[in-house]
């Protein structure tokens, strides 16, 4: 979340690893972030709104929301920013997180938003996810298989090869691909 409250599409909390800039993303406003190039490309850090506009409902959008350990204050504000951005968006989308508090936040405040929990067995039913997301390297999994048998879909990340695609087809309900995705 930017300093001015916009939901941003960026992997890390800090700018250092993926850009030539440094410091926390959350200390800059969205316009400033939009001018920062990602390392190794001319792409810049987009807002979630821009990504939704670019997809225009033609492709499913899976939004991973990251929360720092400890205080949920900042993650709750990010959840609210994502929810506001999604208002009125009719394309296929879902949110997911490693943090069950994020998934539960959406269950309580935006129950029509499809939500997933990334491989957190202990918090599965407290979070009330609509799906589980598993690392492709952890499949097959007896736990994942039991949840599928109970009717809870399992998605698998990050599918980057034909071997991964085959494993996901056998042990999950859908692959999550990155970049060029599934060959």
């Amino acid at each position: 979340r930017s300093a001015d409250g916009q939901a941003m599409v960026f992997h890390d909390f800090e700018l250092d690893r993926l850009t030539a800039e440094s410091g926390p993303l959350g200390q800059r406003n969205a316009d400033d972030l939009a001018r920062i190039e990602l390392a190794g490309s001319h792409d810049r850090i987009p807002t979630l709104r821009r990504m939704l506009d670019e997809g225009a409902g033609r492709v499913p959008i899976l939004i991973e929301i990251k929360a720092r350990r400890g205080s949920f204050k900042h993650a709750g504000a990010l959840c609210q920013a994502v929810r506001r951005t999604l208002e009125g968006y009719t394309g296929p989308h879902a949110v997911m997180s490693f943090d069950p508090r994020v998934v539960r936040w959406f269950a309580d405040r935006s129950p029509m938003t499809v939500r997933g929990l990334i491989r957190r067995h202990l918090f599965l039913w407290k979070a009330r996810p609509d799906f589980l997301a598993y690392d492709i390297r952890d499949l097959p999994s007896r736990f994942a298989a039991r949840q599928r048998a109970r009717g809870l879909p399992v998605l698998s990340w990050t599918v980057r090869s034909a071997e991964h695609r085959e494993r996901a087809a056998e042990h999950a309900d859908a692959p999550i691909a990155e970049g060029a995705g599934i060959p």
Side-chain angles (χ1 to χ4, degrees):
R1 182 172 170 265
S2 65
D4 55 346
Q6 297 297 308
M8 304 301 297
V9 178
F10 194 73
H11 188 273
D12 296 354
F13 294 108
E14 307 288 329
L15 296 167
D16 306 57
R17 185 174 70 90
L18 299 173
T19 74
E21 301 285 324
S22 63
L25 177 136
Q27 290 183 355
R28 306 215 188 175
N29 68 41
D31 288 340
D32 291 339
L33 292 167
R35 289 190 281 277
I36 298 174
E37 284 189 359
L38 299 175
S41 79
H42 295 294
D43 292 333
R44 299 174 192 281
I45 302 172
T47 62
L48 177 57
R49 167 59 51 211
R50 186 177 126 216
M51 292 299 294
L52 294 174
D53 289 347
E54 284 183 21
R58 294 183 307 266
V59 296
I61 303 288
L62 187 55
I63 304 162
E64 181 185 346
I65 298 177
K66 296 189 178 205
R68 290 187 190 260
R69 293 184 187 266
S71 171
F72 189 69
K73 178 182 172 185
H74 296 293
L78 175 58
C79 291
Q80 182 64 33
V82 168
R83 183 178 133 196
R84 276 194 314 262
T85 303
L86 289 171
E87 286 176 3
Y89 182 73
T90 58
H93 65 280
V95 297
M96 67 181 198
S97 183
F98 281 97
D99 191 320
R101 298 171 301 177
V102 168
V103 180
R104 184 59 188 238
W105 190 98
F106 277 90
D108 292 343
R109 293 170 182 84
S110 188
M112 298 306 290
T113 300
V114 176
R115 58 205 176 273
L117 183 64
I118 305 170
R119 199 174 180 260
R120 295 295 297 262
H121 304 166
L122 298 176
F123 299 101
L124 179 63
W125 302 117
K126 184 176 183 174
R128 295 181 21 208
D130 293 310
F131 65 91
L132 285 179
Y134 254 76
D135 188 324
I136 190 69
R137 297 170 295 183
D138 294 334
L139 293 177
S141 158
R142 286 190 305 228
F143 181 81
R146 283 195 306 272
Q147 300 319 308
R148 285 180 81 199
R150 297 176 71 189
L152 187 64
V154 173
L155 283 64
S156 186
W157 56 275
T158 299
V159 174
R160 295 185 176 109
S161 68
E163 183 234 322
H164 285 169
R165 183 182 66 228
E166 289 172 19
R167 190 179 320 159
E170 185 175 347
H171 302 288
D173 298 291
I176 300 172
E178 180 179 288
I182 306 168

